[in-house]
Amino acid sequence: GGQLDIGAEARGEGIEIVVRGTGERLTLDPEIRRALQGKLGEGEVTSRTAAAWMTHSLAQAGGGAVLVESGEGMVVLGATLVA
C-alpha cells in the first residue's frame, strides 16, 4: 500500500506539475534519478532510463526543469514548464 498525489498549477508564464508518492518500500532507482536530473549522456540511456531521460530533455528544451527529491518511503517528482 501507499499513496500517490498529483497536482498541477499555472503560475505566471509556466506550469508546475508535482507527483508525490509515499509507501513503506518506495525507492527511486539511482539511474532513473540521474536521467531525470540530466546527468546521463545520450550514450548511457537504456530502455529502463529512456522515459526519464526524455522527460528531462523535453522539460529543458522548453525552458523548464525537473526536480527530484526522495527519502525513506517518499519520492517527489516535479517539473516546471514554460507555457
Side-chain angles (χ1 to χ4, degrees):
Q3 184 169 332
L4 183 65
D5 299 308
I6 302 171
E9 182 177 357
R11 292 189 140 202
E13 298 290 317
I15 299 169
E16 292 182 359
I17 301 168
V18 177
V19 177
R20 181 177 188 266
T22 58
E24 246 180 72
R25 295 183 285 178
L26 182 62
T27 62
L28 180 61
D29 180 278
E31 286 301 302
I32 292 175
R33 172 191 291 272
R34 288 183 63 226
L36 286 167
Q37 294 173 325
K39 295 180 179 178
L40 287 184
E42 284 187 39
E44 298 176 275
V45 177
T46 65
S47 59
R48 221 167 44 80
T49 59
W53 182 83
M54 188 182 304
T55 298
H56 167 79
S57 297
L58 290 171
Q60 187 177 37
V66 175
L67 166 76
V68 181
E69 294 289 332
S70 64
E72 192 165 324
M74 181 272 304
V75 174
V76 177
L77 304 174
T80 56
L81 306 169
V82 178

